[in-house]
């Protein structure tokens, strides 16, 4: 695997260990055609049925409402086109927010090109729609809203919009690609879409759920697989793995969300302090736990990404699904925020605090380096936020002398961890802090810093 | 894995060991988003590019003509709809044979329902189209022909049809799902479709090749992936595995085809001798090496399949992609042959001769058992075709006595294998054959019959 810190889970998540295990098992036990009547076919069918039950349970649907697609994009396309076709007697009006995934926008473009009508609901500066912006009427065949934005992490008011749609009798497609597995799926959807590789499942599996009673007419040629909604041979092993990982990540979610939320909060707080002329975008409170985006003025996002890649960080920039075309993000444009120099950090499950600290450590210098050729007169950013001084094996007063010499290397508010195993440090370091008006934060085991002995004495630079 | 003999490779092939190995490696090295610019993304892109080169080379295409779909059915649907849309200025006429895969027929039905015109080219009793039946004219937007039929194995005259299409300037979509990897792809196609799980690749990968210069307009909403032809996240690990197995099976094909051809020939010859009122269908000469279908009069195919399943054989019946709906096969109907009681045997790579022998051994009794309740007065079929007499540990003349007592249990022309470790058998058994006008075929190691000592003396029942 890579020695880099992978901070782009919103593009694709590394395969969850449970998914890999389930995939390997299902390649042995579920490889046959589930439509066949012989033993291996029946076995594949049983595994498929069990996976459908699992996914239905986690997403709050009935098993017979779930069809497996080959991607989240296919789920969105089939869901939108099928609902528009099934409800075309209502009229040809389609409602969606300005910050939906490109698969929604492209399907809307095709609907428009074929004579349909499209109304785009704007968002505020935080990327959030006003529920009142959704005005489903008697001509509206479908409304679409994401649970959470894929570029800035803002959570959308799905329940309120669902209520407005319900009152108007208009079906609502909820795109849960970024939140499924992480957060409970809001109720009130008529159609629900998701993508397994975002939650640690394998590529090749999307989910399209269609509530009982919702009018749906397949836009593609007939096929008997997946309730007639998704043509083609069913990928049982991948579906089994997708279901297993969905159950696993959902079980871990509450604890892991809290941890990642704190790490993202740290990035949201620190980046504007460490980097001049930067804007953190998206809703600071109603947000995905693991995702944050900031934009650096005067910076070419692709260049900064290349620098971060060299420094060992895999992050995204620009519109998440069109970065290879280098077009500006339609999401950031709709929010009215900077569309240049943006960096999306999305943390996978299990992200280590030390990796986030290292990211905050290297980012200011990299941004400054990218900006340097421009000759701008920008405020000077603090050099670094954290410093670890290894004084293991050194006797007092050497640890205190090191601390005094180097505390200036961190920004005010930053932290120095002095690793020492001389017992005297436990008294000398707090005492030095008192004398020099620095804040002593306490003691932690040096194992937190990867050492097998000694303690870490944490000092916050105040002055 | 299963202890059964899996004879349904035309539905799906067991994962080739090379594919499994490649999949495992690519889950580690190609899991990231190939559209991303960081290192793991670039690595995934490189693996994807290499897989595309491999598939292009084996299928006789350029790499930039290949798009990966999520199934063979999706490849057919996109290929047909995209070519019809791209060539609609010619007119709305679609030409296809009567024995195409259901994905072709269903796409044609949709084309018809949307105001298009469809002309169906008939086949002869062997399931083969007459090239002259293809009459591409100035209104024809697309012609479709399979390389080989998926139900009866008949090879189609693709080159001749391609030449007629070329002369008329009409694009030809060639569906190579049943032959790709096994046989060279015939030239002359404008669009080519295939499915990886038929050649031992994983589920979830199809191939759509569109020749340079062929008019194509995507029928689905825009997406930048796969040359704009296949929307959705690209399943790199599965594609890498598909390419690896395609290369592997192609390298083994000549040798394995010859072996499987002989096994199928044996089934084609023996089944009508062993089972009364049976018809072997499909072209006896121009055929896939590994596939044979026969129909048993007065027999419910599903019941016979259940019996075969119990006896340890996984085979198909009826239209290969609609067996779960129990509708009669459109292929057999178009050929004008029996559509009831049909059994499709399609042998995977590595099928053991002993498994085919066992199949021929049990089939007559199972068919007779299914027919018994009907009280029909059918010709008596030979009871069995092979018999193994275990005389290990018995001293002569006991082995010869057993042979004389039991040779009547096999049909004339059938074979008895006498397993014996008394050296005298080597002389006595040929001698007995000479005296009783039976044919002595020779000696084989008893290990061929799963024993660890002794020899097998093979006797053909002549009288």
């Amino acid at each position: 695997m890579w020695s880099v810190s992978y901070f782009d889970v919103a593009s694709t998540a590394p395969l969850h260990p449970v998914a890999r295990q389930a995939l390997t098992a299902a390649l042995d036990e579920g490889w046959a055609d589930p439509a066949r009547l012989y033993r291996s076919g029946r076995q594949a069918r049983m595994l498929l049925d069990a996976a459908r039950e699992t996914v239905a349970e986690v997403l709050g649907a009935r098993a017979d409402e779930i069809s497996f697609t080959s991607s989240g994009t296919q789920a969105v396309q089939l869901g939108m086109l099928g609902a528009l076709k099934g409800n075309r007697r209502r009229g040809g009006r389609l409602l969606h927010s300005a910050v939906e995934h490109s698969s929604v926008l492209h399907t809307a473009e095709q609907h428009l090109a074929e004579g349909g009508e499209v109304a785009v609901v704007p968002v505020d500066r935080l990327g959030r729609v006003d529920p009142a912006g959704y005005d489903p009427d008697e001509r509206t065949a479908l409304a679409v809203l994401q649970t959470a934005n894929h570029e800035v992490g803002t959570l959308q008011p799905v329940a309120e919009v669902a209520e407005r749609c319900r009152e108007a009798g208009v079906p609502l497609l909820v795109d849960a690609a970024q939140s499924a597995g992480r957060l409970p799926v809001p109720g009130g959807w008529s159609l629900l879409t998701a993508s397994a590789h975002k939650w640690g499942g394998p590529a090749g599996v999307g989910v399209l759920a269609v509530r009982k009673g919702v009018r749906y007419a397949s836009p593609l040629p007939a096929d008997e697989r997946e309730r007639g909604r998704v043509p083609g041979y069913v990928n049982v092993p991948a579906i089994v793995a997708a279901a297993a990982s969905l159950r696993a990540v959902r079980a871990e979610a509450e604890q892991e969300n809290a941890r990642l939320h704190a790490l993202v909060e740290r990035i949201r707080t620190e980046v504007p302090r460490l980097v001049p002329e930067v804007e953190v975008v998206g809703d600071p409170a109603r947000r995905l736990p693991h995702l944050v985006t900031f934009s650096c003025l005067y910076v070419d996002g692709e260049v900064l990404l290349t620098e971060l890649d060299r420094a060992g960080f895999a992050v995204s920039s620009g519109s998440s699904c069109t970065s290879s075309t280098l077009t500006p993000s339609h999401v950031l444009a709709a929010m009215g925020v900077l569309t240049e120099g943006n960096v999306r950090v999305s943390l996978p499950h299990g992200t280590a605090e030390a990796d986030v600290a290292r990211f905050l450590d290297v980012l200011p210098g990299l941004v400054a380096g990218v900006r340097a050729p421009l000759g701008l007169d920008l405020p000077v950013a603090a050099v670094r936020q954290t410093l670890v001084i290894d004084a293991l094996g050194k006797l007092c007063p050497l640890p205190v002398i090191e601390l005094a010499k180097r505390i200036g290397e961190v920004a005010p508010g930053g932290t120095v961890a002095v690793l020492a195993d001389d017992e005297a440090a436990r008294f000398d370091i707090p005492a030095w802090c008192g004398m020099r008006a620095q804040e002593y934060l306490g003691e932690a085991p040096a194992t937190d810093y990867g050492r097998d002995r000694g303690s870490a004495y944490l000092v916050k630079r105040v002055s």
Side-chain angles (χ1 to χ4, degrees), chain A residues 1 23 60 90 128 132-133 172 223 238 260 278 311 318 320 324 339 343 357 370 414 422 440 445 458 460:
Chain A
M1 300 292 281
L23 182 62
R90 290 187 58 93
R128 187 175 155 94
L172 173 67
D223 192 280
L260 296 180
V278 76
S320 67
S324 63
T339 63
V343 172
V370 173
D422 181 346
Y440 179 66
L458 305 176
K460 181 172 174 182

Side-chain angles (χ1 to χ4, degrees), chain A residues 245-257:
Chain A
S245 60
L246 180 60
R247 188 195 290 278
V249 297
R250 196 68 202 95
E252 301 156 359
E254 300 317 319
Q255 197 174 353
E256 188 65 6
N257 284 347

Side-chain angles (χ1 to χ4, degrees), chain A residues 147-225:
Chain A
T147 52
N149 186 266
H150 52 297
E151 286 191 47
V152 300
T154 299
L155 298 180
Q156 301 294 357
V158 173
E160 293 91 320
V161 171
E163 181 54 25
R164 293 176 65 88
C165 289
R166 197 192 58 75
E167 280 168 10
V170 170
L172 173 67
L173 185 151
V174 172
D175 175 11
Q178 287 298 331
S179 69
R182 299 180 183 279
L183 301 173
V185 172
W189 51 266
S190 314
L191 302 100
L192 184 79
T193 59
S195 173
H197 75 99
K198 307 280 192 195
W199 70 58
V205 182
V207 177
L208 169 62
V210 182
R211 273 271 186 255
K212 281 283 145 197
V214 170
R215 287 197 190 87
Y216 183 91
S218 176
L220 290 178
D223 192 280
E224 67 184 22
R225 315 257 185 184

